[in-house]
Amino acid sequence: MTSTRPAASDPAPRPKRRTFSPEYKLRIVAEYDAAPKNEKGAILRRERLYHSHVKEWRAARDAGALEKLVDKRTSPARPKKSAAETENEKLRRQVERLEMPWPGPPARRTMGSWASTTRTRATSPNRRGRCSARPAPGR
């Protein structure tokens, strides 16, 4: 059955990762720490956060590093590698892999089958007991 919608259209837009400013993080940590025990969950639900967020932000605040509160993965301060640098790294890894010493052929089996080591496939008998290699005509 064919669909009436085109295959290229996506029914829902792709979700975007939330980012929080350092000021917001400090405000939420201060509010969370000041709240009584039975209201902490309400703050997390209201802001749609997890306790792990607050724990990470509190640890960064206690370390005294406001710049550590910025997510390094999505921060615009993170330097991007150029396409040439990325290609060079890829080629270096490939050269290293190719320059590794060859381990050599695998070790021979000592308990191999007699038939597999002495006869070739052309002269081994087929299902009827005959050899598949035929003698030359006129012999």
Side-chain angles (χ1 to χ4, degrees):
M1 181 174 172
T2 59
S3 175
T4 57
R5 282 190 273 169
S9 70
D10 192 20
R14 187 176 181 97
K16 189 173 183 181
R17 181 185 296 264
R18 294 188 299 170
T19 56
F20 304 103
S21 70
E23 295 79 21
Y24 174 80
K25 293 176 184 181
L26 290 173
R27 182 177 60 82
I28 293 298
V29 169
E31 183 181 354
Y32 186 84
D33 289 342
K37 187 171 186 164
N38 58 352
E39 292 181 18
K40 293 185 179 195
I43 295 171
L44 296 177
R45 285 189 298 274
R46 182 189 73 212
E47 301 292 332
R48 287 185 260 140
L49 298 172
Y50 294 101
H51 178 66
S52 60
H53 287 120
V54 177
K55 281 177 31 179
E56 289 176 14
W57 298 346
R58 184 184 299 125
R61 181 202 61 190
D62 293 345
L66 184 63
E67 60 272 358
K68 283 193 175 182
L69 290 176
V70 177
D71 190 0
K72 300 288 188 220
R73 296 172 296 177
T74 58
S75 171
R78 180 179 168 191
K80 286 270 188 180
K81 291 183 181 178
S82 67
E85 288 176 343
T86 306
E87 182 70 16
N88 283 343
E89 284 184 14
K90 178 182 168 187
L91 292 173
R92 276 192 202 102
R93 285 192 303 268
Q94 186 177 6
V95 166
E96 286 175 9
R97 184 176 50 85
L98 293 173
E99 288 180 347
M100 290 176 63
W102 176 251
R108 289 188 145 211
R109 293 183 297 165
T110 56
M111 299 299 292
S113 167
W114 180 82
S116 67
T117 58
T118 58
R119 289 187 275 172
T120 63
R121 186 176 180 100
T123 60
S124 62
N126 59 19
R127 283 184 279 167
R128 295 187 184 126
R130 300 184 192 132
C131 289
S132 59
R134 298 189 178 169
R139 280 191 149 178

